[in-house]
């Protein structure tokens, strides 16, 4: 149990599951959005804001380099199973935004 507390970041994995899987899939299925509204609000606004927060969070906690990939990989898995094919490219965009958010913190 001590190993889990020391090596597993619940904000990282919980946020990745929440914003990478649950929010996009549930918004696609249950909210009365058109596809364009869903892409605009959920995939662009909500998830990009989460990526910016995640990059600063990873910098503040001196996370390992591989933690940058948690959210994009969880999103890519959900996109492959439940979402349209054009959403695959958002995983690369989320990785880039998270990396840029983390690296700009290092320069300040």
């Amino acid at each position: 149990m001590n190993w889990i507390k020391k090596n597993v970041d619940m904000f990282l994995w919980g946020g990745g599951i929440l914003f990478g899987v649950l929010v996009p899939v549930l918004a696609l299925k249950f909210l009365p959005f058109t596809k364009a509204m869903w892409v605009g609000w959920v995939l662009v606004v909500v998830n990009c804001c989460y990526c910016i927060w995640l990059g600063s969070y990873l910098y503040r906690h001196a996370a390992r380099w591989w933690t940058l990939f948690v959210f994009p990989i969880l999103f890519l898995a959900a996109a492959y199973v439940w979402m349209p094919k054009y959403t695959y490219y958002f995983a690369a965009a989320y990785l880039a935004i998270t990396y840029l958010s983390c690296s700009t913190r290092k320069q300040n």
Side-chain angles (χ1 to χ4, degrees):
M1 189 66 173
N2 223 2
W3 180 84
I4 292 174
K5 286 183 182 179
K6 184 177 178 183
N7 293 319
V8 176
D9 188 356
M10 290 308 212
F11 283 115
L12 175 70
W13 288 95
I17 291 170
L18 178 69
F19 288 101
V21 179
L22 294 178
V23 170
V25 171
L26 293 178
L28 179 64
K29 300 290 181 189
F30 296 113
L31 289 181
F33 285 164
T34 63
K35 294 278 185 176
M37 288 175 58
W38 173 73
V39 168
W41 283 106
V42 176
L43 297 184
V44 175
V45 175
V46 173
N47 281 353
C48 286
C49 289
Y50 174 70
C51 287
I52 293 168
W53 175 84
L54 181 62
S56 63
Y57 176 81
L58 293 176
Y59 173 72
R60 282 189 314 240
H61 288 78
R64 295 187 175 114
W65 64 270
W66 61 268
T67 56
L68 288 170
F69 293 98
V70 171
F71 172 65
I73 288 175
L74 288 172
F75 177 81
L76 185 62
Y80 183 76
V81 175
W82 291 294
M83 294 182 226
K85 290 188 184 227
Y86 62 85
T87 59
Y88 299 169
Y89 301 106
F90 280 100
Y94 296 151
L95 177 63
I97 293 168
T98 305
Y99 174 74
L100 287 173
S101 176
C102 185
S103 65
T104 56
R105 299 279 180 167
K106 290 180 182 179
Q107 292 178 356
N108 290 335

